[in-house]
Amino acid sequence: MESRLNVILLALQPQAIQVFFQQVDMERIQVLEVFSDYNEKIKLILDEKQKDIKSFSALLPYIEKYKNMDVYWIVGSAYFETANLEAIAKLLRERGIARDHILNGYVGNMPHYQGNLRYAEHVTLDYIATGISYMEVGLDATQIPYHGANLAVSSQDLYYGYRTAVDIFAHGNPLKFCLIGVCPYILGYEMRRSFSTLGVGRQYELLLPDEVLEEDLFFSLLSDSFKNAYIKCKVPEELNNETFKRTLQSEILVNKFFNVEKSLADVIVKLHQKSFMNNLQIFQDYIHLCNQHGAKPIAVMLPFSPVIHDRYPKRELADFRSILRSLHDAMNLQIIDLFDLKLDYSCFYDLVHLNMHGAAMASQALAEQLKRIMSVQSPRT
């Protein structure tokens, strides 16, 4: 019998405890300790004995106790919370816990992506849209004169956008075009390489065939029953993500303006050569995939709020636009560049994301350029 891994669960929310034990195969792990915010309603029984849930205030002595043992520290979360995931992991590393013994215990669950994906697999569409959160909330499908599905979702890098398109084409969907959401830093963004966003990628491994995360120990601990329930879960499609968009702020809260530098730093990603080359190849593969299936590849860049737009480094923006133009010349990539679209602050819910009003205005401008692109016959590829 395979030996069980010794694990310590650090649950960022009390409900993450229940989520964790619903997900994992208990035959594969031995839970030594559980830490979370105190919640007297949770009674944890392990191996027929009650297990005390300890407060995070008591964590440091236990790090010292276990740091030289073969123990895996699982940072669990009931929902996507990158900042705290990374903060806990950083604390553990600084206290001497080996990087490969710290596991992200979050499993991505974006229902609107899952519902729209399953719909797009089996219904004839004119287009799909992929990309990160700018496209997820910034595309208003009601303004687009074609029938499509928005498969963009928070933290979806180029790779997972490409893998999503591979899946849709594999189901025989005769798309006319793909809207590929991009931003000036997209070639430096690799979600599956980051500890804090790694868990989001697990939804793709569960939902897309032949998708395997590299060296993801926590994924191997998930039970078959959880995986099957996740895959078979029936989620209704909502092609314009209306319900999700309504959960967001309708306007920018004033405190966002107190920390413009942080918002700016979040959208300026230093380009490491390896990530850049990986993403450029993926981008080219995505464009080739579209051309191969007779669908026009269309890169879409949406605007940021005025303060971020005006302070965005001009060199980085010019370099990215140059890459887009080179891909247009070499591979017939179409470009809808709305980065300089003049929208005021009433169109954003934070400094970089459009609200529903802004999405409608930006999508009207997108639709006008789309009509021009679609009226031109593509050359044979």
Side-chain angles (χ1 to χ4, degrees):
M1 181 177 177
E2 188 177 352
S3 61
R4 299 164 77 184
L5 293 181
N6 290 320
V7 305
I8 294 174
L9 173 63
L10 308 178
L12 295 182
Q13 314 88 21
Q15 57 268 45
I17 300 172
Q18 181 178 3
V19 170
F20 174 80
F21 287 104
Q22 288 172 341
Q23 293 172 343
V24 298
D25 181 353
M26 291 302 295
E27 296 297 319
R28 296 215 56 206
I29 63 172
Q30 178 73 40
V31 179
L32 303 180
E33 309 287 353
V34 177
F35 291 85
S36 187
D37 293 328
Y38 179 70
N39 189 325
E40 62 183 7
K41 295 181 181 179
I42 298 177
K43 302 298 182 184
L44 187 59
I45 306 297
L46 294 175
D47 297 327
E48 301 181 352
K49 296 179 181 178
Q50 182 164 325
K51 172 72 72 172
D52 291 335
I53 299 172
K54 299 177 175 64
S55 167
F56 276 116
S57 63
L59 178 60
L60 295 185
Y62 286 89
I63 296 177
E64 293 302 311
K65 175 181 177 180
Y66 288 108
K67 73 177 182 180
N68 295 319
M69 301 182 189
D70 190 20
V71 174
Y72 289 86
W73 301 73
I74 299 178
V75 187
S77 182
Y79 47 85
F80 190 34
E81 191 176 335
T82 58
N84 287 333
L85 280 167
E86 183 56 46
I88 294 292
K90 182 180 178 182
L91 170 66
L92 294 172
R93 292 194 300 267
E94 289 175 346
R95 294 284 173 165
I97 305 301
R99 186 179 296 267
D100 63 356
H101 276 56
I102 305 171
L103 307 182
N104 178 326
Y106 173 69
V107 177
N109 182 22
M110 307 295 186
H112 51 291
Y113 172 82
Q114 182 175 349
N116 289 349
L117 177 74
R118 293 301 182 230
Y119 178 85
E121 288 175 342
H122 300 106
V123 176
T124 299
L125 298 172
D126 295 320
Y127 74 92
I128 61 167
T130 63
I132 53 178
S133 54
Y134 310 129
M135 197 68 160
E136 177 187 28
V137 300
L139 177 67
D140 182 351
T142 66
Q143 305 297 325
I144 308 301
Y146 295 90
H147 181 49
N150 189 349
L151 301 178
V153 69
S154 180
S155 298
Q156 183 186 89
D157 57 13
L158 276 171
Y159 174 75
Y160 285 121
Y162 165 67
R163 288 291 307 149
T164 297
V166 167
D167 179 68
I168 299 304
F169 282 122
H171 281 79
N173 210 316
L175 303 176
K176 292 182 173 69
F177 59 93
C178 290
L179 299 178
I180 307 171
V182 298
C183 58
Y185 66 84
I186 197 67
L187 293 177
Y189 180 64
E190 287 189 289
M191 180 189 76
R192 64 199 185 283
R193 310 288 183 192
S194 167
F195 177 86
S196 60
T197 55
L198 170 67
V200 181
R202 293 178 182 133
Q203 70 179 339
Y204 299 98
E205 185 164 2
L206 288 164
L207 297 174
L208 300 178
D210 305 322
E211 181 54 42
V212 179
L213 291 174
E214 300 173 6
E215 301 176 359
D216 185 5
L217 179 57
F218 183 76
F219 189 86
S220 71
L221 301 179
L222 298 179
S223 69
D224 290 339
S225 60
F226 169 76
K227 293 177 184 177
N228 291 333
Y230 189 106
I231 294 168
K232 295 177 181 178
C233 179
K234 300 292 184 182
V235 181
E237 71 278 1
E238 191 167 334
L239 304 182
N240 200 30
N241 298 338
E242 294 284 351
T243 301
F244 173 71
K245 290 175 181 177
R246 291 194 187 99
T247 66
L248 306 171
Q249 297 288 341
S250 61
E251 59 186 21
I252 302 177
L253 299 179
V254 68
N255 64 347
K256 296 292 183 182
F257 291 98
F258 299 155
N259 208 353
V260 172
E261 294 301 327
K262 181 182 184 305
S263 295
L264 191 62
D266 288 342
V267 295
I268 302 174
V269 176
K270 186 176 180 180
L271 292 182
H272 297 286
Q273 185 68 13
K274 184 177 180 181
S275 293
F276 174 82
M277 295 306 296
N278 286 343
N279 277 321
L280 183 58
Q281 183 60 59
I282 292 164
F283 201 0
Q284 291 170 330
D285 290 344
Y286 197 163
I287 297 167
H288 176 70
L289 175 75
C290 294
N291 288 331
Q292 189 178 38
H293 287 86
K296 291 189 177 185
I298 305 173
V300 178
M301 185 155 56
L302 294 170
F304 292 154
S305 71
V307 67
I308 301 299
H309 172 275
D310 294 345
R311 298 179 66 177
Y312 203 89
K314 291 180 173 55
R315 176 63 181 272
E316 280 85 344
L317 181 59
D319 287 347
F320 181 62
R321 282 172 164 161
S322 178
I323 291 170
L324 292 180
R325 288 192 298 270
S326 68
L327 291 172
H328 167 76
D329 295 341
M331 303 185 70
N332 200 36
L333 172 70
Q334 302 301 306
I335 304 165
I336 298 180
D337 183 351
L338 302 177
F339 191 80
D340 295 329
L341 185 67
K342 300 298 183 185
L343 298 178
D344 62 29
Y345 291 105
S346 69
C347 293
F348 297 84
Y349 76 80
D350 64 19
L351 297 182
V352 293
H353 292 94
L354 294 161
N355 59 23
M356 295 181 74
H357 170 61
M361 296 186 68
S363 296
Q364 289 170 12
L366 189 160
E368 286 302 312
Q369 295 197 38
L370 183 61
K371 290 176 186 176
R372 171 186 56 79
I373 291 171
M374 297 306 293
S375 67
V376 178
Q377 184 66 32
S378 294
R380 287 188 181 273
T381 56

